[in-house]
Amino acid sequence: NAGVTQTPKFRILKIGQSMTLQCAQDMNHNYMYWYRQDPGMGLKLIYYSVGAGITDKGEVPNGYNVSRSTTEDFPLRLELAAPSQTSVYFCASSLGPGTGFGAQHFGDGTRLSIL
Amino acid sequence: AQSVTQPDIHITVSEGASLELRCNYSYGATPYLFWYVQSPGQGLQLLLKYFSGDTLVQGIKGFEAEFKRSQSSFNLRKPSVHWSDAAEYFCAVALTYGGSQGNLIFGKGTKLSVKP
């Protein structure tokens, strides 16, 4: 029972490089989310998706892009890495409206450093 | 605008002592409220949630929370803390309208340390 799987767990990038953070869930959840967590700041929503082919911006989308071609996968792309994107990134999924409302399942995170 | 405030950044309690973590919210509609816990190096795990009805809700790991509309609060409690409860705790409110429904607004978290 894997739940939400994020890869890689750690990564160091140079300024200007690009990379994709992978997220996959095996719970058949329609809703998926990307957050960043900075010390003392809680979690900020970057992008979210309510189903395959549907994505929307969250609170802090600048510098990131997403796609959702399948229900299972929701990759996050950084095109031109900047030091301000040093953070811990979490992917989450949920059933969406109904009994699962607000009950998000989180991956273990990707720790990203931009140097 | 909707927001969640956790006034305490860091709390230390002795093992076996009682615990209360504070959470205040600002939301125009009926709030859907949550507490999540994050152990070091891991993602967040849902402890409990409040949608409606009984204002005292029970969660996992012996935690409970009480919704008080008059005080815009949703404080988390545990009668007797165990060393394994040391973690960071996040309060959140869910948006309930439009295309953003289900999105969570998180507080900044309270780090709990437990003394032997």
Side-chain angles (χ1 to χ4, degrees), chain A residues 37 90 99 101-102 104 107 111, chain B residues 32 36 38 41 43 49 51 95 99:
Chain A
Q37 183 180 32
F90 287 99
T99 56
F101 190 82
Q104 296 183 12
R111 285 146 187 80
Chain B
Y32 286 28
Y36 283 81
Q38 184 182 29
K49 60 187 179 183
F51 284 2
L95 301 180

Side-chain angles (χ1 to χ4, degrees), chain B residues 53-67:
Chain B
D54 193 346
T55 56
L56 185 64
V57 294
Q58 303 297 320
I60 62 172
K61 305 185 181 188
F63 285 92
E64 65 180 25
E66 185 172 15
F67 171 63

Side-chain angles (χ1 to χ4, degrees), chain A residues 35-55:
Chain A
Y35 296 91
R36 61 176 288 170
Q37 183 180 32
D38 300 300
M41 298 302 295
L43 279 78
K44 301 291 186 183
L45 183 64
I46 304 172
Y47 271 95
Y48 67 101
S49 169
V50 300
I54 307 170
T55 63

Side-chain angles (χ1 to χ4, degrees), chain A residues 23 29-36 44-61 64-68 70 73-76 90-94 96-97 104, chain B residues 2 95-105:
Chain A
C23 175
H29 286 171
N30 283 324
Y31 285 53
M32 295 188 74
Y33 310 84
W34 274 106
Y35 296 91
R36 61 176 288 170
K44 301 291 186 183
L45 183 64
I46 304 172
Y47 271 95
Y48 67 101
S49 169
V50 300
I54 307 170
T55 63
D56 206 348
K57 297 177 180 178
E59 183 180 359
V60 290
Y64 307 95
N65 279 300
V66 294
S67 60
R68 182 98 182 269
T70 67
D73 301 299
F74 190 39
L76 177 72
F90 287 99
C91 179
S93 71
S94 76
Q104 296 183 12
Chain B
Q2 55 274 7
L95 301 180
T96 56
Y97 52 84
S100 302
Q101 60 177 315
N103 289 4
L104 296 176
I105 305 297

